[in-house]
C-alpha cells in the first residue's frame, strides 16, 4: 500500500512536476493531467484546463477514488483514468498523463501496442534487469467517453501490465509509480525510449 502524501505536499510535488514536464515539451498549453495519492480514499489532481507549466497550489484539488470532486472546482475530464489506477493498484502513489510529440506520433504509427526491445533504459522499470528485454506498451484508441475508455483500460490492468504505462492513440502517455519520484522516473524513461524509437524509424526508413 502506498502511504500517499498529505495534500499540501502532494500539491507542491505536482506543481513541480508540471513545470518540469512543460519545460521539456511534454505538456504543451493546457494539456495533460497529474495526480498523487493522498490516502486510501483520496487523491490530489490538477484542476481542469490549467496550464501545467504555470501551476500553483490553487490549481490542485482533491477527488475521491471514484473520481468525484471533493473541492468546489472541476477536476480533469480524465480523472477516471487516474483513480482506476489507484483503486486497482494500492501501491500506486502518483499518475502522470503527458502529451509529448514523440508519444503522440508513435501512438499513431503503431497498432494496438508499441514494441520496445533491447534498450538499456528498459531497466528503469521494475522487474526488468537486462537490456535483452522485449516488452509491449499497449495503445488504446482515443475516446471522448471516459467511462468507456476506462473500461477498456481496466481489462488490460486485470491482465497485469508489464510496464507502468500505456498510450492513447493521437493523445499521449499515462505513466505511474509507487511514489511521485517513481512516476517521474518512469515518465522520463518512457520519453527517452520514445525518442530512440522514432530516431531508429527515421534512420531505418527506406
Amino acid at each position: 500500500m502506498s502511504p500517499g502524501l498529505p495534500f499540501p505536499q502532494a500539491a507542491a510535488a505536482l506543481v513541480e512536476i508540471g513545470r518540469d514536464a512543460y519545460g521539456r515539451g511534454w505538456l504543451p498549453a493546457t494539456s495533460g493531467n497529474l495526480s498523487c495519492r493522498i490516502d486510501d480514499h483520496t487523491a490530489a489532481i490538477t484542476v481542469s484546463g490549467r496550464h501545467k507549466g504555470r501551476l500553483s497550489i490553487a490549481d490542485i484539488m482533491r477527488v475521491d477514488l471514484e473520481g468525484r470532486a471533493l473541492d468546489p472546482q472541476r477536476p480533469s475530464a480524465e480523472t477516471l483514468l487516474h483513480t482506476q489506477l489507484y483503486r486497482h493498484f494500492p501501491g500506486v502513489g502518483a499518475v502522470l498523463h503527458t502529451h509529448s510529440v514523440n508519444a503522440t506520433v508513435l501512438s499513431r504509427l503503431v497498432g494496438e501496442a508499441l514494441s520496445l526491445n533491447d534498450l538499456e533504459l528498459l531497466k528503469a522499470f521494475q522487474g526488468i534487469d537486462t537490456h535483452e528485454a522485449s516488452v509491449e506498451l499497449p495503445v488504446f484508441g482515443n475516446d471522448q467517453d471516459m467511462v468507456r475508455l476506462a473500461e477498456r483500460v481496466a481489462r488490460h490492468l486485470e491482465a497485469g501490465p508489464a510496464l507502468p504505462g500505456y498510450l492513447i492513440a493521437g493523445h499521449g502517455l499515462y505513466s505511474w509509480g509507487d511514489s511521485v519520484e517513481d512516476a517521474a522516473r518512469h515518465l522520463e524513461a518512457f520519453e527517452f525510449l520514445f525518442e530512440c524509437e522514432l530516431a531508429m524509424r527515421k534512420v531505418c526508413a527506406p
Side-chain angles (χ1 to χ4, degrees):
M1 175 70 67
S2 171
L5 290 174
F7 178 77
Q9 291 176 242
L14 295 179
V15 167
E16 182 178 351
I17 286 177
R19 290 174 181 168
D20 180 63
Y22 170 73
R24 294 174 182 239
W26 301 340
L27 283 172
T30 58
S31 67
N33 28 76
L34 313 168
S35 70
C36 178
R37 183 190 294 273
I38 296 173
D39 54 35
D40 294 351
H41 310 288
T42 316
I45 194 166
T46 45
V47 174
S48 178
R50 302 300 165 88
H51 192 295
K52 306 309 179 296
R54 303 174 192 145
L55 291 174
S56 69
I57 300 301
D59 299 313
I60 313 297
M61 64 177 293
R62 296 172 307 133
V63 294
D64 68 19
L65 297 194
E66 298 299 324
R68 296 180 290 248
L70 299 176
D71 295 322
Q73 301 183 85
R74 186 161 63 93
S76 164
E78 297 170 36
T79 296
L80 289 178
L81 299 180
H82 289 251
T83 55
Q84 77 173 165
L85 286 162
Y86 294 122
R87 294 196 310 272
H88 191 86
F89 299 118
V92 166
V95 181
L96 310 177
H97 172 44
T98 50
H99 286 238
S100 73
V101 171
N102 290 339
T104 303
V105 170
L106 274 174
S107 72
R108 294 285 300 274
L109 293 178
V110 299
E112 295 183 352
L114 169 65
S115 296
L116 297 168
N117 309 291
D118 301 320
L119 293 163
E120 182 72 16
L121 214 66
L122 286 170
K123 293 194 291 185
F125 305 114
Q126 186 174 6
I128 300 177
D129 57 10
T130 174
H131 70 278
E132 296 177 330
S134 179
V135 290
E136 301 278 310
L137 183 66
V139 181
F140 298 98
N142 203 0
D143 196 332
Q144 298 305 303
D145 185 329
M146 288 300 115
V147 173
R148 186 166 56 203
L149 179 54
E151 288 173 351
R152 295 207 307 271
V153 173
R155 291 193 287 272
H156 162 69
L157 298 178
E158 289 293 339
L163 293 171
Y166 60 82
L167 288 165
I168 300 176
H171 189 143
L173 170 72
Y174 268 85
S175 59
W176 57 88
D178 291 351
S179 65
V180 173
E181 293 78 13
D182 284 342
R185 185 183 76 253
H186 293 159
L187 170 60
E188 187 168 9
F190 276 126
E191 289 296 346
F192 176 84
L193 293 167
F194 296 159
E195 187 171 355
C196 288
E197 181 65 21
L198 276 176
M200 286 295 296
R201 288 170 181 247
K202 291 176 184 177
V203 169
C204 297

